[in-house]
Amino acid sequence: AGPRLARLFRSLGAADGQLIMAEKMGTADHIARSSLMDLHLDTRLQSGHTTTVDAIWSGIPVLVFPARSMVSRAAAGIVMGAGLPWTVARTASDYVALAKQMVIK
């Protein structure tokens, strides 16, 4: 998925190196590397739970685009509960526009 996502993000205007596919690591190292992120992109069909909380805890904005299933809406509930309703995209085009907006800031 990494090379395919990199091509997609380049086609949307991201510079090489802006999208980093991170490997699994221990909690302390995972939290520490969060400071390198500008934006945490949630996956649509299987949204984040702990990773979403970790990102918010680290001060990283989380962009979510929930589907209809409960498991896809978990991150949306977390960011809404954290008082960040503007980070929940309603459409695919909103998701892309918000991602661009959030990375440029």
Side-chain angles (χ1 to χ4, degrees):
R4 205 172 52 216
L5 282 173
R7 280 193 304 276
L8 171 64
F9 276 80
R10 272 195 306 274
S11 76
L12 296 171
D16 285 337
Q18 278 188 294
L19 178 67
I20 299 169
M21 302 299 288
E23 299 296 323
K24 184 176 180 176
M25 58 178 42
T27 303
D29 291 331
H30 169 67
I31 297 295
R33 76 174 167 197
S34 294
S35 66
L36 302 172
M37 285 191 276
D38 295 316
L39 176 62
H40 177 97
L41 296 172
D42 187 50
T43 56
R44 182 152 199 240
L45 299 179
Q46 176 98 23
S47 74
H49 293 78
T50 305
T51 55
T52 301
V53 173
D54 289 346
I56 292 171
W57 180 270
S58 300
I60 308 302
V62 178
L63 179 57
V64 299
F65 179 27
R68 293 183 181 201
S69 69
M70 188 282 298
V71 73
S72 76
R73 295 189 316 266
I78 292 167
V79 299
M80 296 287 279
L84 303 166
W86 60 273
T87 66
V88 179
R90 302 290 177 211
T91 66
S93 59
D94 285 348
Y95 187 79
V96 171
L98 282 168
K100 286 180 177 180
Q101 217 174 27
M102 293 167 82
V103 170
I104 290 171
K105 287 186 178 182

